[in-house]
Structures are given as structure tokens and as C-alpha cells.
Amino acid sequence: TPLPGNAGCLSHTPQPACTTAPKLDGAQTIVVAPDGRSAFTAGDPNVDAFRRDPSSGALSLAARIKGCPDSFFSRACDRGPKALIKSPHGLAVSPDSREIYVTSSSFAETGVVAVIRRR
């Protein structure tokens, strides 16, 4: 059963009975941290972190880890931390909820696993 009201849905565009979460477009996967307090989505080009209300399950956007859009023609992000997250599509969270593991790949590169430590 969906949560009542806007708590049961997040959408990048306004939708009836949804909370609008700008730039959520592209989310392909979601995982909930073992501690139940956070959830994470992966979608080209970002990883989004959400606070999760353990009693209701409702989500609210807490932070965005910016990656690089996967573009064969763009070399703007070939170096630096953003280069590790191109087209993120898989997520896992460590058992202690301190690290997030992100798989990503791009048109011209092999797969990458980036490890992000939570603060």
C-alpha cells in the first residue's frame, strides 16, 4: 500500500499526490541503508541521498553527489572525483551504513566501482 498523500511518491516533475524532487530525472535504482535512516538513488549523472523517516518510510532529499553526464563528445570530466561517477547505475551500502558503493560505466570506458564515505 502506498504511503498516504505526498509521502508515497517523489517525482522530478509535478505529479498528483507526489512530492516534487527537482532533477531526480534518471534515477534507475534505489537502496535503503541497513540503519533504515537513509536511502540512495543512482541515475545519470548523480547519486542522490535521502533522509528516511523510519516510522513512516517517507523520503526527503538530503544531498546530491554530482557525477558527470555520460557524453561521448564531452571530456570536461575526464579527471577528478566526478570522473569516477559517470552514468551510475548500481548501488550498495555497507552493513554499518558508512560507505556507499556505486557502479558506473560510460560509452568509452569499462566499469568503475566508486566508494563514497558518508559523513
Side-chain angles (χ1 to χ4, degrees):
T1 303
L3 296 178
N6 291 359
C9 176
L10 295 171
S11 176
H12 75 282
T13 58
Q15 300 288 324
C18 282
T19 298
T20 302
K23 300 185 180 180
L24 185 62
D25 188 23
Q28 298 178 13
T29 189
I30 187 168
V31 295
V32 176
D35 65 12
R37 298 182 330 209
S38 303
F40 304 90
T41 61
D44 193 9
N46 303 312
V47 174
D48 290 320
F50 295 87
R51 283 185 283 285
R52 181 178 174 275
D53 181 329
S55 62
S56 72
L59 300 175
S60 59
L61 187 61
R64 168 162 286 154
I65 302 160
K66 292 185 178 182
C68 282
D70 187 14
S71 172
F72 184 75
F73 301 104
S74 172
R75 295 291 180 208
C77 295
D78 281 350
R79 294 197 171 118
K82 285 185 177 182
L84 295 175
I85 302 176
K86 287 186 180 177
S87 293
H89 50 79
L91 292 169
V93 181
S94 64
D96 64 2
S97 300
R98 294 190 58 168
E99 287 89 23
I100 307 159
Y101 301 90
V102 182
T103 59
S104 64
S105 60
S106 68
F107 292 124
E109 298 172 10
T110 58
V112 172
V113 176
V115 180
I116 301 165
R117 180 170 293 266
R118 294 177 61 191
R119 294 181 187 171

